[in-house]
Amino acid sequence: MKAHSMLRQLAAAMVGALISAAVWAADYPAAKEGSAVLRDFRFHGGEVLPELKVHYRTIGAAGGEPVLVLHGTAGSGASMLTPAFAGELFGAGQPLDATKYFIVLPDALGAGKSSKPSDGMRAQFPRYNYDDMVSAQYRLVTEVLGIKHLRLIIGNSMGGMHAWMWGTTHPDFMDALAPMASQPTAMSSRNWMMRRLIIDSVRNDPDWQGGNYTAQPRALKVANAFFGIATNGGTLAYQQAAPTREAADKLLNDRLNAPFTADANDFLYQWESSADYDASPKLDRIKAALLVINSADDERNPPETGLMEMALKRVPGGRLHLIPASADTRGHGTTGMAKFYKAALQELLQTAPRRPAAP
């Protein structure tokens, strides 16, 4: 009888878990997908593509206040739709309640379902940088979606750097900016050196064949795992997860054996696109209310350099929300968990003045 009772309790618990998952899934409206073709897209190097596809997702009704959400390198708009991010922000009563806001999540140029080298051009695809990526986002927002002004731009990692560029390039286009896991200063130091290492390891692999490979270069998967472990995850969290050599080996082996479908040309373009990033020369142009969200254990943007404090002196009213390091944070990946800053983001949205749209 006890066994039957335990089985019934287990079954009830499983049903409860399924119901909880269903409730979570219904917390905000399902994303709607779309694709747009940008005609005669000009890259920073002068090349022009007659057609550039930009894929995007939207959540909420088009009549809501527009919000632009920007993803990190090698991600997509879909990569922001996680329980830890969207589940903490887009639901009823949450900071970006989708019944009030019209949330736009584009796939960046070169990523997701937007135009990229692996679509067919391979290494003949025009070299793009962050200026080109922001230009594509701007054309999507204005030409395709007809948005004239944004309440907020929030971006993570690469998306955070894009948010800085939006603020300096289109200063009148938004009320508030929330760049996360990023700095406005030039790509440099360990952040760039680590990128160079993974770029060179793939390009120097004989299997790469100048971008005309018949099978993905073997160095690609190792380079991706190497960069992820070296620059993301958090020191304290890794120590907790792998306190012995055996545990560390298992964690690494699991990473190396996990499914991996990236394309080498896409990978190289994505990481190389950051090479000339530097939003700092135009920081004085930012007019939006600015909330910087970083973590104290960010491996790529270590706060001890003091670069952020110096940059914020040039943006009146700009604030830094620095998440303390702990075993619960994940280094550069911490800002993927909105529980650490949702209250600060709510305050930003409650206090940021509504500015008129640019003429």
Side-chain angles (χ1 to χ4, degrees), residues 38 41 43-44 52 54 70-74 106-111 128-140 158 162 165-166 269-270 273-274:
L38 305 180
F41 186 86
F43 292 78
H44 73 284
L52 182 82
V54 178
L70 304 174
H71 64 80
T73 306
D107 289 354
L109 164 62
Y128 61 83
N129 65 2
Y130 282 7
D131 292 306
D132 300 322
M133 299 167 95
V134 170
S135 176
Q137 293 162 1
Y138 182 78
R139 289 188 59 181
L140 168 70
M158 177 184 75
H162 288 173
M165 294 180 67
W166 268 88
Y269 273 69
Q270 288 162 355
S273 66
S274 66

PDB file of all heavy atoms in Angstrom, residues 38 41 43-44 52 54 70-74 106-111 128-140 158 162 165-166 269-270 273-274:
ATOM      1  N   LEU A  38      15.966  43.837 -46.409  1.00  0.00           N
ATOM      2  CA  LEU A  38      16.465  45.199 -46.531  1.00  0.00           C
ATOM      3  C   LEU A  38      17.148  45.328 -47.886  1.00  0.00           C
ATOM      4  O   LEU A  38      18.092  44.595 -48.182  1.00  0.00           O
ATOM      5  CB  LEU A  38      17.450  45.515 -45.402  1.00  0.00           C
ATOM      6  CG  LEU A  38      16.942  45.297 -43.970  1.00  0.00           C
ATOM      7  CD1 LEU A  38      18.029  45.652 -42.963  1.00  0.00           C
ATOM      8  CD2 LEU A  38      15.670  46.090 -43.695  1.00  0.00           C
ATOM      9  N   PHE A  41      21.620  46.931 -49.070  1.00  0.00           N
ATOM     10  CA  PHE A  41      22.255  47.170 -47.772  1.00  0.00           C
ATOM     11  C   PHE A  41      23.743  47.423 -47.964  1.00  0.00           C
ATOM     12  O   PHE A  41      24.467  46.596 -48.514  1.00  0.00           O
ATOM     13  CB  PHE A  41      22.043  45.981 -46.841  1.00  0.00           C
ATOM     14  CG  PHE A  41      22.541  46.235 -45.443  1.00  0.00           C
ATOM     15  CD1 PHE A  41      21.724  46.850 -44.509  1.00  0.00           C
ATOM     16  CD2 PHE A  41      23.837  45.889 -45.070  1.00  0.00           C
ATOM     17  CE1 PHE A  41      22.182  47.098 -43.218  1.00  0.00           C
ATOM     18  CE2 PHE A  41      24.298  46.143 -43.789  1.00  0.00           C
ATOM     19  CZ  PHE A  41      23.474  46.746 -42.861  1.00  0.00           C
ATOM     20  N   PHE A  43      27.483  47.960 -46.510  1.00  0.00           N
ATOM     21  CA  PHE A  43      28.355  47.641 -45.385  1.00  0.00           C
ATOM     22  C   PHE A  43      29.402  48.743 -45.195  1.00  0.00           C
ATOM     23  O   PHE A  43      29.666  49.539 -46.104  1.00  0.00           O
ATOM     24  CB  PHE A  43      29.047  46.300 -45.614  1.00  0.00           C
ATOM     25  CG  PHE A  43      28.119  45.111 -45.568  1.00  0.00           C
ATOM     26  CD1 PHE A  43      27.311  44.805 -46.653  1.00  0.00           C
ATOM     27  CD2 PHE A  43      28.050  44.303 -44.437  1.00  0.00           C
ATOM     28  CE1 PHE A  43      26.444  43.706 -46.622  1.00  0.00           C
ATOM     29  CE2 PHE A  43      27.185  43.212 -44.396  1.00  0.00           C
ATOM     30  CZ  PHE A  43      26.391  42.917 -45.490  1.00  0.00           C
ATOM     31  N   HIS A  44      30.044  48.747 -44.027  1.00  0.00           N
ATOM     32  CA  HIS A  44      31.012  49.795 -43.716  1.00  0.00           C
ATOM     33  C   HIS A  44      32.182  49.813 -44.680  1.00  0.00           C
ATOM     34  O   HIS A  44      32.808  50.849 -44.895  1.00  0.00           O
ATOM     35  CB  HIS A  44      31.522  49.638 -42.279  1.00  0.00           C
ATOM     36  CG  HIS A  44      32.455  48.471 -42.096  1.00  0.00           C
ATOM     37  ND1 HIS A  44      32.016  47.165 -42.032  1.00  0.00           N
ATOM     38  CD2 HIS A  44      33.813  48.426 -41.960  1.00  0.00           C
ATOM     39  CE1 HIS A  44      33.051  46.363 -41.867  1.00  0.00           C
ATOM     40  NE2 HIS A  44      34.154  47.097 -41.814  1.00  0.00           N
ATOM     41  N   LEU A  52      19.291  41.905 -48.017  1.00  0.00           N
ATOM     42  CA  LEU A  52      19.780  41.409 -46.734  1.00  0.00           C
ATOM     43  C   LEU A  52      18.567  41.011 -45.894  1.00  0.00           C
ATOM     44  O   LEU A  52      17.696  41.834 -45.616  1.00  0.00           O
ATOM     45  CB  LEU A  52      20.587  42.479 -45.999  1.00  0.00           C
ATOM     46  CG  LEU A  52      21.182  42.021 -44.664  1.00  0.00           C
ATOM     47  CD1 LEU A  52      22.472  41.251 -44.904  1.00  0.00           C
ATOM     48  CD2 LEU A  52      21.437  43.203 -43.735  1.00  0.00           C
ATOM     49  N   VAL A  54      16.667  40.068 -42.547  1.00  0.00           N
ATOM     50  CA  VAL A  54      16.738  40.255 -41.096  1.00  0.00           C
ATOM     51  C   VAL A  54      15.531  39.557 -40.478  1.00  0.00           C
ATOM     52  O   VAL A  54      14.383  39.905 -40.776  1.00  0.00           O
ATOM     53  CB  VAL A  54      16.750  41.747 -40.700  1.00  0.00           C
ATOM     54  CG1 VAL A  54      16.774  41.881 -39.179  1.00  0.00           C
ATOM     55  CG2 VAL A  54      17.945  42.454 -41.303  1.00  0.00           C
ATOM     56  N   LEU A  70      18.361  42.997 -27.431  1.00  0.00           N
ATOM     57  CA  LEU A  70      19.467  42.603 -28.303  1.00  0.00           C
ATOM     58  C   LEU A  70      20.299  41.491 -27.671  1.00  0.00           C
ATOM     59  O   LEU A  70      20.704  41.597 -26.511  1.00  0.00           O
ATOM     60  CB  LEU A  70      20.356  43.824 -28.586  1.00  0.00           C
ATOM     61  CG  LEU A  70      19.606  45.031 -29.195  1.00  0.00           C
ATOM     62  CD1 LEU A  70      20.532  46.225 -29.300  1.00  0.00           C
ATOM     63  CD2 LEU A  70      19.019  44.676 -30.562  1.00  0.00           C
ATOM     64  N   HIS A  71      20.579  40.454 -28.438  1.00  0.00           N
ATOM     65  CA  HIS A  71      21.249  39.254 -27.928  1.00  0.00           C
ATOM     66  C   HIS A  71      22.767  39.321 -28.061  1.00  0.00           C
ATOM     67  O   HIS A  71      23.332  40.225 -28.683  1.00  0.00           O
ATOM     68  CB  HIS A  71      20.725  38.012 -28.653  1.00  0.00           C
ATOM     69  CG  HIS A  71      21.035  37.985 -30.123  1.00  0.00           C
ATOM     70  ND1 HIS A  71      22.256  37.610 -30.621  1.00  0.00           N
ATOM     71  CD2 HIS A  71      20.261  38.270 -31.208  1.00  0.00           C
ATOM     72  CE1 HIS A  71      22.245  37.664 -31.943  1.00  0.00           C
ATOM     73  NE2 HIS A  71      21.054  38.065 -32.331  1.00  0.00           N
ATOM     74  N   GLY A  72      23.435  38.314 -27.514  1.00  0.00           N
ATOM     75  CA  GLY A  72      24.890  38.241 -27.530  1.00  0.00           C
ATOM     76  C   GLY A  72      25.436  37.524 -28.752  1.00  0.00           C
ATOM     77  O   GLY A  72      24.692  36.994 -29.590  1.00  0.00           O
ATOM     78  N   THR A  73      26.758  37.476 -28.850  1.00  0.00           N
ATOM     79  CA  THR A  73      27.442  36.870 -29.982  1.00  0.00           C
ATOM     80  C   THR A  73      27.029  35.418 -30.167  1.00  0.00           C
ATOM     81  O   THR A  73      26.981  34.647 -29.200  1.00  0.00           O
ATOM     82  CB  THR A  73      28.962  36.932 -29.787  1.00  0.00           C
ATOM     83  OG1 THR A  73      29.348  38.290 -29.542  1.00  0.00           O
ATOM     84  CG2 THR A  73      29.701  36.427 -31.024  1.00  0.00           C
ATOM     85  N   ALA A  74      26.738  35.049 -31.401  1.00  0.00           N
ATOM     86  CA  ALA A  74      26.369  33.684 -31.791  1.00  0.00           C
ATOM     87  C   ALA A  74      24.994  33.268 -31.279  1.00  0.00           C
ATOM     88  O   ALA A  74      24.580  32.132 -31.478  1.00  0.00           O
ATOM     89  CB  ALA A  74      27.424  32.662 -31.354  1.00  0.00           C
ATOM     90  N   PRO A 106      15.361  41.115 -32.533  1.00  0.00           N
ATOM     91  CA  PRO A 106      15.917  40.764 -33.845  1.00  0.00           C
ATOM     92  C   PRO A 106      17.034  39.733 -33.737  1.00  0.00           C
ATOM     93  O   PRO A 106      17.726  39.641 -32.721  1.00  0.00           O
ATOM     94  CB  PRO A 106      16.467  42.098 -34.356  1.00  0.00           C
ATOM     95  CG  PRO A 106      16.742  42.897 -33.135  1.00  0.00           C
ATOM     96  CD  PRO A 106      15.808  42.422 -32.058  1.00  0.00           C
ATOM     97  N   ASP A 107      17.196  38.948 -34.798  1.00  0.00           N
ATOM     98  CA  ASP A 107      18.406  38.148 -34.972  1.00  0.00           C
ATOM     99  C   ASP A 107      19.438  39.061 -35.626  1.00  0.00           C
ATOM    100  O   ASP A 107      19.177  39.633 -36.697  1.00  0.00           O
ATOM    101  CB  ASP A 107      18.150  36.947 -35.894  1.00  0.00           C
ATOM    102  CG  ASP A 107      17.287  35.875 -35.245  1.00  0.00           C
ATOM    103  OD1 ASP A 107      16.979  35.997 -34.054  1.00  0.00           O
ATOM    104  OD2 ASP A 107      16.926  34.914 -35.955  1.00  0.00           O
ATOM    105  N   ALA A 108      20.577  39.224 -35.006  1.00  0.00           N
ATOM    106  CA  ALA A 108      21.594  40.130 -35.537  1.00  0.00           C
ATOM    107  C   ALA A 108      22.060  39.688 -36.921  1.00  0.00           C
ATOM    108  O   ALA A 108      21.998  38.506 -37.277  1.00  0.00           O
ATOM    109  CB  ALA A 108      22.786  40.188 -34.588  1.00  0.00           C
ATOM    110  N   LEU A 109      22.509  40.644 -37.694  1.00  0.00           N
ATOM    111  CA  LEU A 109      23.177  40.347 -38.953  1.00  0.00           C
ATOM    112  C   LEU A 109      24.260  39.308 -38.698  1.00  0.00           C
ATOM    113  O   LEU A 109      25.076  39.460 -37.786  1.00  0.00           O
ATOM    114  CB  LEU A 109      23.791  41.649 -39.499  1.00  0.00           C
ATOM    115  CG  LEU A 109      24.853  41.549 -40.598  1.00  0.00           C
ATOM    116  CD1 LEU A 109      24.274  40.908 -41.848  1.00  0.00           C
ATOM    117  CD2 LEU A 109      25.397  42.955 -40.914  1.00  0.00           C
ATOM    118  N   GLY A 110      24.251  38.218 -39.467  1.00  0.00           N
ATOM    119  CA  GLY A 110      25.249  37.170 -39.316  1.00  0.00           C
ATOM    120  C   GLY A 110      24.877  36.077 -38.344  1.00  0.00           C
ATOM    121  O   GLY A 110      25.680  35.174 -38.107  1.00  0.00           O
ATOM    122  N   ALA A 111      23.659  36.140 -37.769  1.00  0.00           N
ATOM    123  CA  ALA A 111      23.284  35.162 -36.740  1.00  0.00           C
ATOM    124  C   ALA A 111      21.826  34.734 -36.900  1.00  0.00           C
ATOM    125  O   ALA A 111      21.039  35.387 -37.595  1.00  0.00           O
ATOM    126  CB  ALA A 111      23.504  35.739 -35.349  1.00  0.00           C
ATOM    127  N   TYR A 128      31.394  42.252 -41.966  1.00  0.00           N
ATOM    128  CA  TYR A 128      30.546  43.209 -41.248  1.00  0.00           C
ATOM    129  C   TYR A 128      31.137  43.494 -39.874  1.00  0.00           C
ATOM    130  O   TYR A 128      31.919  42.721 -39.334  1.00  0.00           O
ATOM    131  CB  TYR A 128      29.114  42.679 -41.118  1.00  0.00           C
ATOM    132  CG  TYR A 128      28.961  41.379 -40.361  1.00  0.00           C
ATOM    133  CD1 TYR A 128      28.908  41.360 -38.959  1.00  0.00           C
ATOM    134  CD2 TYR A 128      28.849  40.165 -41.036  1.00  0.00           C
ATOM    135  CE1 TYR A 128      28.762  40.170 -38.259  1.00  0.00           C
ATOM    136  CE2 TYR A 128      28.691  38.966 -40.336  1.00  0.00           C
ATOM    137  CZ  TYR A 128      28.646  38.980 -38.965  1.00  0.00           C
ATOM    138  OH  TYR A 128      28.496  37.796 -38.267  1.00  0.00           O
ATOM    139  N   ASN A 129      30.757  44.641 -39.327  1.00  0.00           N
ATOM    140  CA  ASN A 129      31.172  44.993 -37.970  1.00  0.00           C
ATOM    141  C   ASN A 129      29.942  45.446 -37.192  1.00  0.00           C
ATOM    142  O   ASN A 129      28.807  45.352 -37.676  1.00  0.00           O
ATOM    143  CB  ASN A 129      32.279  46.050 -37.979  1.00  0.00           C
ATOM    144  CG  ASN A 129      31.823  47.390 -38.541  1.00  0.00           C
ATOM    145  OD1 ASN A 129      30.654  47.569 -38.909  1.00  0.00           O
ATOM    146  ND2 ASN A 129      32.733  48.345 -38.612  1.00  0.00           N
ATOM    147  N   TYR A 130      30.148  45.938 -35.982  1.00  0.00           N
ATOM    148  CA  TYR A 130      29.004  46.311 -35.147  1.00  0.00           C
ATOM    149  C   TYR A 130      28.236  47.497 -35.735  1.00  0.00           C
ATOM    150  O   TYR A 130      27.020  47.621 -35.523  1.00  0.00           O
ATOM    151  CB  TYR A 130      29.473  46.629 -33.729  1.00  0.00           C
ATOM    152  CG  TYR A 130      29.777  45.414 -32.875  1.00  0.00           C
ATOM    153  CD1 TYR A 130      29.777  44.123 -33.418  1.00  0.00           C
ATOM    154  CD2 TYR A 130      30.061  45.536 -31.518  1.00  0.00           C
ATOM    155  CE1 TYR A 130      30.053  43.014 -32.634  1.00  0.00           C
ATOM    156  CE2 TYR A 130      30.326  44.432 -30.716  1.00  0.00           C
ATOM    157  CZ  TYR A 130      30.324  43.174 -31.287  1.00  0.00           C
ATOM    158  OH  TYR A 130      30.593  42.072 -30.505  1.00  0.00           O
ATOM    159  N   ASP A 131      28.916  48.384 -36.461  1.00  0.00           N
ATOM    160  CA  ASP A 131      28.206  49.480 -37.124  1.00  0.00           C
ATOM    161  C   ASP A 131      27.167  48.929 -38.097  1.00  0.00           C
ATOM    162  O   ASP A 131      26.036  49.420 -38.153  1.00  0.00           O
ATOM    163  CB  ASP A 131      29.193  50.373 -37.882  1.00  0.00           C
ATOM    164  CG  ASP A 131      30.105  51.151 -36.956  1.00  0.00           C
ATOM    165  OD1 ASP A 131      29.598  51.851 -36.063  1.00  0.00           O
ATOM    166  OD2 ASP A 131      31.329  51.062 -37.119  1.00  0.00           O
ATOM    167  N   ASP A 132      27.562  47.920 -38.866  1.00  0.00           N
ATOM    168  CA  ASP A 132      26.641  47.313 -39.831  1.00  0.00           C
ATOM    169  C   ASP A 132      25.476  46.625 -39.118  1.00  0.00           C
ATOM    170  O   ASP A 132      24.328  46.686 -39.567  1.00  0.00           O
ATOM    171  CB  ASP A 132      27.374  46.299 -40.704  1.00  0.00           C
ATOM    172  CG  ASP A 132      28.516  46.915 -41.492  1.00  0.00           C
ATOM    173  OD1 ASP A 132      28.361  48.054 -41.960  1.00  0.00           O
ATOM    174  OD2 ASP A 132      29.568  46.264 -41.617  1.00  0.00           O
ATOM    175  N   MET A 133      25.765  45.982 -38.012  1.00  0.00           N
ATOM    176  CA  MET A 133      24.725  45.259 -37.282  1.00  0.00           C
ATOM    177  C   MET A 133      23.694  46.222 -36.711  1.00  0.00           C
ATOM    178  O   MET A 133      22.477  45.988 -36.787  1.00  0.00           O
ATOM    179  CB  MET A 133      25.362  44.410 -36.184  1.00  0.00           C
ATOM    180  CG  MET A 133      26.324  43.362 -36.739  1.00  0.00           C
ATOM    181  SD  MET A 133      27.363  42.603 -35.483  1.00  0.00           S
ATOM    182  CE  MET A 133      26.400  41.147 -35.109  1.00  0.00           C
ATOM    183  N   VAL A 134      24.158  47.337 -36.147  1.00  0.00           N
ATOM    184  CA  VAL A 134      23.235  48.341 -35.623  1.00  0.00           C
ATOM    185  C   VAL A 134      22.456  49.006 -36.751  1.00  0.00           C
ATOM    186  O   VAL A 134      21.263  49.300 -36.613  1.00  0.00           O
ATOM    187  CB  VAL A 134      23.998  49.377 -34.774  1.00  0.00           C
ATOM    188  CG1 VAL A 134      23.112  50.565 -34.412  1.00  0.00           C
ATOM    189  CG2 VAL A 134      24.540  48.723 -33.510  1.00  0.00           C
ATOM    190  N   SER A 135      23.112  49.219 -37.886  1.00  0.00           N
ATOM    191  CA  SER A 135      22.424  49.783 -39.047  1.00  0.00           C
ATOM    192  C   SER A 135      21.271  48.887 -39.503  1.00  0.00           C
ATOM    193  O   SER A 135      20.173  49.367 -39.802  1.00  0.00           O
ATOM    194  CB  SER A 135      23.413  49.978 -40.200  1.00  0.00           C
ATOM    195  OG  SER A 135      22.753  50.439 -41.363  1.00  0.00           O
ATOM    196  N   ALA A 136      21.508  47.571 -39.529  1.00  0.00           N
ATOM    197  CA  ALA A 136      20.449  46.634 -39.909  1.00  0.00           C
ATOM    198  C   ALA A 136      19.311  46.658 -38.900  1.00  0.00           C
ATOM    199  O   ALA A 136      18.123  46.613 -39.261  1.00  0.00           O
ATOM    200  CB  ALA A 136      21.022  45.222 -40.052  1.00  0.00           C
ATOM    201  N   GLN A 137      19.638  46.736 -37.601  1.00  0.00           N
ATOM    202  CA  GLN A 137      18.603  46.811 -36.568  1.00  0.00           C
ATOM    203  C   GLN A 137      17.783  48.085 -36.725  1.00  0.00           C
ATOM    204  O   GLN A 137      16.541  48.055 -36.617  1.00  0.00           O
ATOM    205  CB  GLN A 137      19.257  46.768 -35.181  1.00  0.00           C
ATOM    206  CG  GLN A 137      19.923  45.450 -34.841  1.00  0.00           C
ATOM    207  CD  GLN A 137      20.917  45.571 -33.691  1.00  0.00           C
ATOM    208  OE1 GLN A 137      21.104  46.654 -33.127  1.00  0.00           O
ATOM    209  NE2 GLN A 137      21.580  44.474 -33.358  1.00  0.00           N
ATOM    210  N   TYR A 138      18.456  49.192 -36.983  1.00  0.00           N
ATOM    211  CA  TYR A 138      17.761  50.471 -37.136  1.00  0.00           C
ATOM    212  C   TYR A 138      16.808  50.444 -38.324  1.00  0.00           C
ATOM    213  O   TYR A 138      15.663  50.905 -38.229  1.00  0.00           O
ATOM    214  CB  TYR A 138      18.784  51.598 -37.292  1.00  0.00           C
ATOM    215  CG  TYR A 138      18.172  52.970 -37.420  1.00  0.00           C
ATOM    216  CD1 TYR A 138      17.705  53.644 -36.292  1.00  0.00           C
ATOM    217  CD2 TYR A 138      18.052  53.589 -38.657  1.00  0.00           C
ATOM    218  CE1 TYR A 138      17.139  54.906 -36.401  1.00  0.00           C
ATOM    219  CE2 TYR A 138      17.484  54.856 -38.783  1.00  0.00           C
ATOM    220  CZ  TYR A 138      17.025  55.504 -37.643  1.00  0.00           C
ATOM    221  OH  TYR A 138      16.455  56.751 -37.750  1.00  0.00           O
ATOM    222  N   ARG A 139      17.269  49.879 -39.440  1.00  0.00           N
ATOM    223  CA  ARG A 139      16.395  49.805 -40.608  1.00  0.00           C
ATOM    224  C   ARG A 139      15.209  48.879 -40.361  1.00  0.00           C
ATOM    225  O   ARG A 139      14.098  49.139 -40.828  1.00  0.00           O
ATOM    226  CB  ARG A 139      17.199  49.357 -41.837  1.00  0.00           C
ATOM    227  CG  ARG A 139      18.160  50.429 -42.354  1.00  0.00           C
ATOM    228  CD  ARG A 139      18.805  50.031 -43.676  1.00  0.00           C
ATOM    229  NE  ARG A 139      17.805  49.787 -44.723  1.00  0.00           N
ATOM    230  CZ  ARG A 139      18.114  49.403 -45.971  1.00  0.00           C
ATOM    231  NH1 ARG A 139      19.394  49.216 -46.300  1.00  0.00           N
ATOM    232  NH2 ARG A 139      17.167  49.202 -46.855  1.00  0.00           N
ATOM    233  N   LEU A 140      15.433  47.792 -39.640  1.00  0.00           N
ATOM    234  CA  LEU A 140      14.326  46.906 -39.289  1.00  0.00           C
ATOM    235  C   LEU A 140      13.286  47.655 -38.460  1.00  0.00           C
ATOM    236  O   LEU A 140      12.079  47.616 -38.757  1.00  0.00           O
ATOM    237  CB  LEU A 140      14.837  45.702 -38.501  1.00  0.00           C
ATOM    238  CG  LEU A 140      13.754  44.851 -37.824  1.00  0.00           C
ATOM    239  CD1 LEU A 140      12.948  44.085 -38.860  1.00  0.00           C
ATOM    240  CD2 LEU A 140      14.371  43.888 -36.809  1.00  0.00           C
ATOM    241  N   MET A 158      27.301  41.226 -26.507  1.00  0.00           N
ATOM    242  CA  MET A 158      27.348  41.945 -27.779  1.00  0.00           C
ATOM    243  C   MET A 158      26.159  42.882 -27.891  1.00  0.00           C
ATOM    244  O   MET A 158      26.285  44.023 -28.354  1.00  0.00           O
ATOM    245  CB  MET A 158      27.359  40.974 -28.956  1.00  0.00           C
ATOM    246  CG  MET A 158      27.326  41.656 -30.324  1.00  0.00           C
ATOM    247  SD  MET A 158      27.233  40.489 -31.709  1.00  0.00           S
ATOM    248  CE  MET A 158      25.484  39.987 -31.594  1.00  0.00           C
ATOM    249  N   HIS A 162      25.990  46.840 -28.598  1.00  0.00           N
ATOM    250  CA  HIS A 162      25.103  47.450 -29.590  1.00  0.00           C
ATOM    251  C   HIS A 162      24.243  48.538 -28.955  1.00  0.00           C
ATOM    252  O   HIS A 162      23.980  49.579 -29.568  1.00  0.00           O
ATOM    253  CB  HIS A 162      24.204  46.387 -30.227  1.00  0.00           C
ATOM    254  CG  HIS A 162      24.930  45.476 -31.156  1.00  0.00           C
ATOM    255  ND1 HIS A 162      24.347  44.366 -31.722  1.00  0.00           N
ATOM    256  CD2 HIS A 162      26.192  45.497 -31.636  1.00  0.00           C
ATOM    257  CE1 HIS A 162      25.210  43.750 -32.503  1.00  0.00           C
ATOM    258  NE2 HIS A 162      26.349  44.419 -32.455  1.00  0.00           N
ATOM    259  N   MET A 165      26.080  51.651 -28.753  1.00  0.00           N
ATOM    260  CA  MET A 165      26.187  52.285 -30.069  1.00  0.00           C
ATOM    261  C   MET A 165      24.879  52.948 -30.488  1.00  0.00           C
ATOM    262  O   MET A 165      24.886  54.016 -31.107  1.00  0.00           O
ATOM    263  CB  MET A 165      26.633  51.247 -31.099  1.00  0.00           C
ATOM    264  CG  MET A 165      28.044  50.728 -30.852  1.00  0.00           C
ATOM    265  SD  MET A 165      28.563  49.494 -32.062  1.00  0.00           S
ATOM    266  CE  MET A 165      28.654  50.514 -33.543  1.00  0.00           C
ATOM    267  N   TRP A 166      23.752  52.331 -30.167  1.00  0.00           N
ATOM    268  CA  TRP A 166      22.456  52.966 -30.426  1.00  0.00           C
ATOM    269  C   TRP A 166      22.396  54.316 -29.713  1.00  0.00           C
ATOM    270  O   TRP A 166      21.944  55.320 -30.277  1.00  0.00           O
ATOM    271  CB  TRP A 166      21.327  52.081 -29.922  1.00  0.00           C
ATOM    272  CG  TRP A 166      20.760  51.128 -30.920  1.00  0.00           C
ATOM    273  CD1 TRP A 166      21.189  49.866 -31.194  1.00  0.00           C
ATOM    274  CD2 TRP A 166      19.609  51.348 -31.751  1.00  0.00           C
ATOM    275  NE1 TRP A 166      20.385  49.278 -32.149  1.00  0.00           N
ATOM    276  CE2 TRP A 166      19.413  50.160 -32.509  1.00  0.00           C
ATOM    277  CE3 TRP A 166      18.729  52.408 -31.921  1.00  0.00           C
ATOM    278  CZ2 TRP A 166      18.374  50.027 -33.427  1.00  0.00           C
ATOM    279  CZ3 TRP A 166      17.687  52.285 -32.843  1.00  0.00           C
ATOM    280  CH2 TRP A 166      17.520  51.111 -33.584  1.00  0.00           C
ATOM    281  N   TYR A 269      33.195  35.189 -38.575  1.00  0.00           N
ATOM    282  CA  TYR A 269      32.617  36.509 -38.823  1.00  0.00           C
ATOM    283  C   TYR A 269      32.045  37.105 -37.542  1.00  0.00           C
ATOM    284  O   TYR A 269      32.206  38.305 -37.278  1.00  0.00           O
ATOM    285  CB  TYR A 269      31.506  36.400 -39.874  1.00  0.00           C
ATOM    286  CG  TYR A 269      31.958  36.500 -41.309  1.00  0.00           C
ATOM    287  CD1 TYR A 269      32.708  35.497 -41.908  1.00  0.00           C
ATOM    288  CD2 TYR A 269      31.603  37.595 -42.095  1.00  0.00           C
ATOM    289  CE1 TYR A 269      33.093  35.578 -43.227  1.00  0.00           C
ATOM    290  CE2 TYR A 269      31.981  37.692 -43.428  1.00  0.00           C
ATOM    291  CZ  TYR A 269      32.737  36.675 -43.992  1.00  0.00           C
ATOM    292  OH  TYR A 269      33.120  36.758 -45.310  1.00  0.00           O
ATOM    293  N   GLN A 270      31.339  36.276 -36.773  1.00  0.00           N
ATOM    294  CA  GLN A 270      30.698  36.766 -35.553  1.00  0.00           C
ATOM    295  C   GLN A 270      31.714  37.331 -34.575  1.00  0.00           C
ATOM    296  O   GLN A 270      31.522  38.421 -34.021  1.00  0.00           O
ATOM    297  CB  GLN A 270      29.893  35.635 -34.905  1.00  0.00           C
ATOM    298  CG  GLN A 270      28.620  35.282 -35.662  1.00  0.00           C
ATOM    299  CD  GLN A 270      28.064  33.915 -35.287  1.00  0.00           C
ATOM    300  OE1 GLN A 270      28.671  33.162 -34.524  1.00  0.00           O
ATOM    301  NE2 GLN A 270      26.903  33.579 -35.824  1.00  0.00           N
ATOM    302  N   SER A 273      33.708  40.463 -35.893  1.00  0.00           N
ATOM    303  CA  SER A 273      32.924  41.693 -36.058  1.00  0.00           C
ATOM    304  C   SER A 273      33.134  42.673 -34.912  1.00  0.00           C
ATOM    305  O   SER A 273      32.861  43.870 -35.052  1.00  0.00           O
ATOM    306  CB  SER A 273      31.437  41.348 -36.192  1.00  0.00           C
ATOM    307  OG  SER A 273      30.925  40.796 -34.989  1.00  0.00           O
ATOM    308  N   SER A 274      33.638  42.181 -33.784  1.00  0.00           N
ATOM    309  CA  SER A 274      33.836  43.055 -32.618  1.00  0.00           C
ATOM    310  C   SER A 274      35.167  43.793 -32.635  1.00  0.00           C
ATOM    311  O   SER A 274      35.414  44.651 -31.779  1.00  0.00           O
ATOM    312  CB  SER A 274      33.753  42.230 -31.330  1.00  0.00           C
ATOM    313  OG  SER A 274      34.837  41.301 -31.255  1.00  0.00           O
TER     314      SER A 274
END
